[in-house]
Amino acid sequence: IAIMAGSIGALAFLRLPETLPIDRRVPFHPAGAGKVLFAALANIRFVAYTAVFGLIASAQLVFGVVAPFLYQQNLGLSAGAYGLIGLLIGGANLAGEVACTSLATRTSPRQLCFDALSVYLLATLLLLSGLLLGASFLPITFGGMLALAGCGTLCPTMYGMALGLFSRNLGLLGGFISSLCYL
């Protein structure tokens, strides 16, 4: 991963031209960056959007870590079978992201978030029933698909809403949101 990240970083530095017009470029100053980050943390909406993004993305990550064990050890599926199921569940996440793109132009962000959260909560009920009533393939698989579809809609919406609060330093703020998410 480090080699790949270094290669991508070098390629970006050497081959990707700057797209921001010269008159809009601002030199980097650590103190200025600190002020931007503290201003973001002082904005309660930014913190709320970032927290939702982080929690939903964390749930997605946890499912990705736990699912192989669940399917292979508890349900007795082969690694190959789990790979196909993982691909199906990942496809549901992609479908949620694609749906987010389309739905964002047709409904309010608030409605989009509540609808995605409703799908996510239904998924939680399915997953819990599939685990509490004995590991069961269908509720876990459909619950996982719905959960990741909900994540696919909520994560980019929250990320976009957090960035939408600002008009400058979006790269810095985007990196900050991602860092907070990982924390």
Side-chain angles (χ1 to χ4, degrees):
I1 292 173
I3 292 169
M4 187 170 48
S7 299
I8 291 169
L11 181 64
F13 181 76
L14 296 171
R15 293 289 186 200
L16 291 179
E18 174 62 66
T19 58
L20 192 63
I22 292 174
D23 61 322
R24 293 196 55 214
R25 294 180 194 173
V26 178
F28 176 74
H29 298 288
K35 287 179 184 178
V36 169
L37 299 179
F38 282 115
L41 288 175
N43 184 320
I44 191 71
R45 289 174 51 201
F46 175 85
V47 172
Y49 296 149
T50 302
V52 172
F53 173 66
L55 290 170
I56 294 297
S58 296
Q60 182 176 351
L61 181 62
V62 167
F63 185 82
V65 169
V66 171
F69 297 103
L70 188 62
Y71 281 101
Q72 292 174 344
Q73 292 180 357
N74 293 36
L75 296 174
L77 297 175
S78 69
Y82 169 69
L84 290 174
I85 293 164
L87 185 61
L88 181 69
I89 293 171
N93 181 256
L94 178 61
E97 293 196 21
V98 170
C100 179
T101 301
S102 174
L103 294 171
T105 61
R106 297 183 182 152
T107 187
S108 71
R110 179 182 179 92
Q111 187 63 50
L112 179 60
C113 290
F114 279 115
D115 290 348
L117 189 57
S118 297
V119 169
Y120 188 80
L121 291 175
L122 174 62
T124 302
L125 294 174
L126 276 171
L127 285 168
L128 287 175
S129 73
L131 294 172
L132 296 177
L133 302 174
S136 181
F137 177 81
L138 288 178
I140 292 170
T141 302
F142 288 120
M145 290 175 69
L146 285 175
L148 267 69
C151 289
T153 303
L154 278 170
C155 287
T157 302
M158 292 294 101
Y159 189 88
M161 290 176 74
L163 281 179
L165 297 171
F166 303 94
S167 60
R168 297 185 57 85
N169 302 300
L170 299 181
L172 173 64
L173 291 165
F176 190 48
I177 293 167
S178 295
S179 298
L180 290 173
C181 175
Y182 285 115
L183 290 176

